[in-house]
Amino acid sequence: MKSLIEAGRRFYSRNWVLATSGNFSAVVSESPLQLCITRSGAHKGTLTPRDFLTIDGSAKPVGRTSARPSAEARLHLEIVRARNTGAVLHTHSVWSTMLSEHHASEGGLALHGYEMLKALEGVITHLHREWVPILENDQDMARLAGDVARVLAQHPDAHAFLLRGHGLYTWGRTVAEAERHVEAMEFLLETVGRRSQM
Amino acid sequence: MKSLIEAGRRFYSRNWVLATSGNFSAVVSESPLQLCITRSGAHKGTLTPRDFLTIDGSAKPVGRTSARPSAEARLHLEIVRARNTGAVLHTHSVWSTMLSEHHASEGGLALHGYEMLKALEGVITHLHREWVPILENDQDMARLAGDVARVLAQHPDAHAFLLRGHGLYTWGRTVAEAERHVEAMEFLLETVGRRSQM
Amino acid sequence: MKSLIEAGRRFYSRNWVLATSGNFSAVVSESPLQLCITRSGAHKGTLTPRDFLTIDGSAKPVGRTSARPSAEARLHLEIVRARNTGAVLHTHSVWSTMLSEHHASEGGLALHGYEMLKALEGVITHLHREWVPILENDQDMARLAGDVARVLAQHPDAHAFLLRGHGLYTWGRTVAEAERHVEAMEFLLETVGRRSQM
Amino acid sequence: MKSLIEAGRRFYSRNWVLATSGNFSAVVSESPLQLCITRSGAHKGTLTPRDFLTIDGSAKPVGRTSARPSAEARLHLEIVRARNTGAVLHTHSVWSTMLSEHHASEGGLALHGYEMLKALEGVITHLHREWVPILENDQDMARLAGDVARVLAQHPDAHAFLLRGHGLYTWGRTVAEAERHVEAMEFLLETVGRRSQM
C-alpha cells in the first residue's frame, strides 16, 4: 500500500493522475484472489491508507467498509488473471489520451526502435516491436472487462493497453515493476506523439 | 482558507497562476451572503491568511481591512448566486488562454468523448458533451458581471467558462470539488489544444 | 539578496536558468550607485550569499573579492540608469530563446489582448500593446551595453527586452515586482509561441 | 557519489531519467583507471550508495559485489580515455530521443547562434558551431564502444553525442561540469526541436 501511495504522489507531480483519475491495485492474496485497490473518487496524489480497500475475485469488498472500489476494479482482476501479475496501474495522461484517440481507428499503435522499450520486462533490444492495443471506452464495466480479457488473450506479449480517451493500463510482478512500465510507456507515448508534430 | 492556500500552491507549481494571476473564493455565510476571497495583487503560490478578506453580496469588504478584494469579486458573486455553489476558482494557464483566443469567434468550445469529463460533478459518461462558453474580456467589472450572469443562465449545465485571453473560471460545492474541476478542465483544454497541433 | 536567492530557486524549477545561465541584481545604494549582483559562473538554482558581490557604477567590484561579476553587469547598470529601477532579472528560457530568434528580423514582437499584460507595472487593460524589443546578441559587452541604452531610450514604455538566442531581461522597483514581470513575460512568450504552432 | 545521487534526483524531476534509464560515473582513480558507476537496473531518481560499484579499465567490478555495472560501462570508459575527463553522464529525455531519430540520417546535428553554447567548457561565443554526432544504437556493447571511440576521435571538439533512440552522453572534469553540460545540451536540444515545429 505504501508503494502505491508513493507512486500516486509521483504520478500526480507529473500530471498523470489529475482530478481523481487513475486507479491502482496490488495482489494481497493469490488463493483466494484478493486485491488491495484504490477506492472510487480518491485523489491519487494524496492517498492515505483509508483510500484503499480489499476486494475478492468478483470485485466485492472483503470485510466491512463503506468505500466502493474503483469502477474499473473488474479490469484490474482481468489483468491479474490473464498476466499472473502482482500490481496493476492505470494512469491518465494528456499524451496517452491524445494517442488513444489519434490511433483508435487502427486498433492500437506500434512502438519500435527505442532503447526505452528495454524498460519493459523481458525486452532485450530496441529492435523489439511493441504493439499497444487501444480499446473503445465503455461505461458498462462487465462488457469492458470482457473486451479487456479478449484483447489480452489476442496480444499475449503486450505490456500495456490504452482505453480510448481514457489513458493507460500497465502492470508488473511488483509495484516497482509496474511503475517502471508506467514511466517507460508514458515516455514512449510522449515521444511518439511529439514526433508526429515534427 | 487553508484549502484555498494549498490549492494556490499546487496551481502555482503547475504554472496555472503565475504573476499574481488567478483568484479564489469560498462561501463563509449564505444568509447574508459572505465570501472569503483573495485580495487584489496577492501572489497565489504563496498565500497567507493576510491575503484574504471577507466581502458581502455587493463585493464590499466586511469589517476593517486595508486590502481590496480581487477585481473579479463580482464575477465570483454572480457564480455563487447562479449555481448555489460553495467555492469559485479562477486559474490562468497557457492552454486556457490559447484556447479562449482560438475559439473566441465560436463563442465557446465543446468537449466530448473523454473519460476525464466524468470528473465534472454529475457527469456519468465520456459521451457527455460539455460546452465551455467563452466570454469577451472586459475591464468594466459591472458589465462583465452582467455577461457572466447571462451566460450562466443560457448554459445552466456548464461547469466552467473561459474569459478570452484571461483563463478559466470553475466552481464546486466545496473547495475540493472546485479544485477537481480545475484539474479536469485544465487537462481537457491541454488535450484539446495539443490534439489540434497533430 | 535573500529574495534573489529564492527567485533563482523558483526559476530553476521552471527551467528558466539552466546550466548557470541568467543573472540577477538589486540596487543596494543609489548614490553612489552600487548593485548587488550574481557572480559569473554561479548556478542560479542553488545560490548562496557567496555567489554575490557588490559593484559600482562602472561594473567594478567594491571591496575585496576574488569573484568576477556576471559578464552582463554593464547591461544591468544601463537598465538601472534608464529605468530608475531597483532590481534587474535576466532569465534564459526555451520559449524566450525561440521567439527571440523567430522574430529577430522584425526587431521585436508585440503582445496584445492578454489579461496577463496587467501584471506589468502601470498596465491597466488587456488592450495594452506591449512592444518587446529584440537586440542582436554580442560578446562585446561595451558595445552591447550601448545597444541596450539606445533601445531603452527608443522604447521608454517597454517593460522588458530580449537578446537574440539569449533570453529575457526585465526589471522592477523591487525584486518581487521584477519577478512578477519575469513570470508574466515568460507566460506571454510561451502563449504566443504555442499559438503560432496551432 | 553524493553529487551523482543529487544529479540523478534533479534529472528525474525533469523527466530525463525515467524508468531506470540513464547511467552515471565518476573517475575514482586515474592509475590504475577506476570508475564509480551506477549499477544496472537502478532507478536514477532515488539512488543510494548501494546503487554504485567500482569498475576497472576493462569494466570488471573491483572487490566483492553482487551488482552488475550499467550495460553501457564500456562507453563510459571510452569517453574517459578519449577526453581525459572526470565524470560521464548519460540522460534519456524525450527531446534528445526525438532529435536523435530526426537527424539520424545526417549523422548528427549542428547547434549555432545560441548563448547557451557558452555553458560548454571552452566555448566563448554564441557564434560557436557545435556538432553533436549521432551514433546508431547497438546492443553489442563491444561494437558500440568501438563506434564511440571512433566518433570521439573524428570529432575531437565535441562536448556530447547522441545514441539514436537512446539519448545523450556528455562529460566534464567534475560532476558539476558534466551536469552543466547535461542542462545546456538538454536546453539546446529542446529549443532546436521546438523551433522545428514553428
Side-chain angles (χ1 to χ4, degrees), chain C residues 11-15 17-21 43 46 71-72 92-95 97-99 101-103 137-139 141 164-166 192-194 196-197, chain D residues 10-11 14 16 112-119 124-127 176 179-188 190-198:
Chain C
F11 294 165
Y12 183 52
S13 76
R14 293 184 152 77
N15 292 352
V17 289
L18 289 175
T20 80
S21 68
H43 198 294
T46 54
E72 290 96 338
H92 196 133
S93 70
V94 165
W95 288 104
T97 302
M98 285 167 66
L99 288 172
E101 293 282 348
H102 199 65
H103 294 276
N137 198 14
D138 195 331
Q139 299 303 327
M141 283 298 138
R164 182 175 179 176
H166 188 158
V192 166
R194 287 192 188 275
S196 72
Q197 295 177 337
Chain D
R10 284 190 284 266
F11 294 164
R14 294 184 151 78
W16 296 344
H112 176 75
Y114 296 107
E115 180 76 9
M116 187 59 89
L117 288 162
K118 289 170 61 187
I124 57 171
T125 170
H126 61 289
L127 300 176
E179 187 173 355
R180 195 182 75 220
H181 287 173
V182 169
E183 292 189 1
M185 289 300 303
E186 292 289 355
F187 174 94
L188 289 162
E190 180 178 339
T191 300
V192 166
R194 287 191 188 277
R195 280 189 73 189
S196 73
Q197 295 177 337
M198 287 187 83

Side-chain angles (χ1 to χ4, degrees), chain A residues 6-172:
Chain A
E6 289 175 0
R9 193 175 43 75
R10 285 190 284 266
F11 294 163
Y12 183 53
S13 76
R14 293 183 151 79
N15 292 352
W16 296 344
V17 288
L18 290 175
T20 78
S21 68
N23 39 69
F24 316 146
S25 72
V27 173
V28 289
S29 162
E30 291 189 30
S31 178
L33 180 58
Q34 294 189 337
L35 298 192
C36 171
I37 192 164
T38 45
R39 70 171 176 83
S40 181
H43 197 296
K44 304 313 175 300
T46 54
L47 290 169
T48 69
R50 279 180 293 183
D51 292 318
F52 292 87
L53 71 163
T54 302
I55 59 170
D56 65 19
S58 58
K60 295 218 176 64
V62 174
R64 288 187 192 172
T65 175
S66 60
R68 283 183 306 120
S70 281
E72 289 95 340
R74 284 167 180 234
L75 311 190
H76 288 245
L77 287 164
E78 292 296 341
I79 293 167
V80 168
R81 286 190 179 110
R83 291 298 198 257
N84 195 27
T85 196
V88 177
L89 299 175
H90 163 43
T91 49
H92 197 132
S93 70
V94 166
W95 288 103
S96 66
T97 303
M98 286 168 64
L99 287 172
S100 70
E101 292 283 348
H102 199 64
H103 293 277
S105 63
E106 302 144 54
L109 79 159
L111 301 169
H112 176 74
Y114 296 107
E115 181 75 9
M116 188 58 89
L117 289 163
K118 287 171 61 187
L120 304 178
E121 195 58 28
V123 175
I124 57 171
T125 169
H126 61 288
L127 300 176
H128 171 77
R129 183 178 179 280
E130 178 81 16
W131 180 254
V132 186
I134 301 174
L135 286 76
E136 282 296 319
N137 198 14
D138 195 331
Q139 299 304 327
D140 181 330
M141 283 298 139
R143 195 164 54 197
L144 188 55
D147 292 346
V148 166
R150 189 169 56 250
V151 162
L152 290 173
Q154 281 169 349
H155 302 281
D157 297 330
H159 292 80
F161 62 83
L162 296 174
L163 292 186
R164 183 173 179 177
H166 188 158
L168 173 75
Y169 271 88
T170 187
W171 49 86

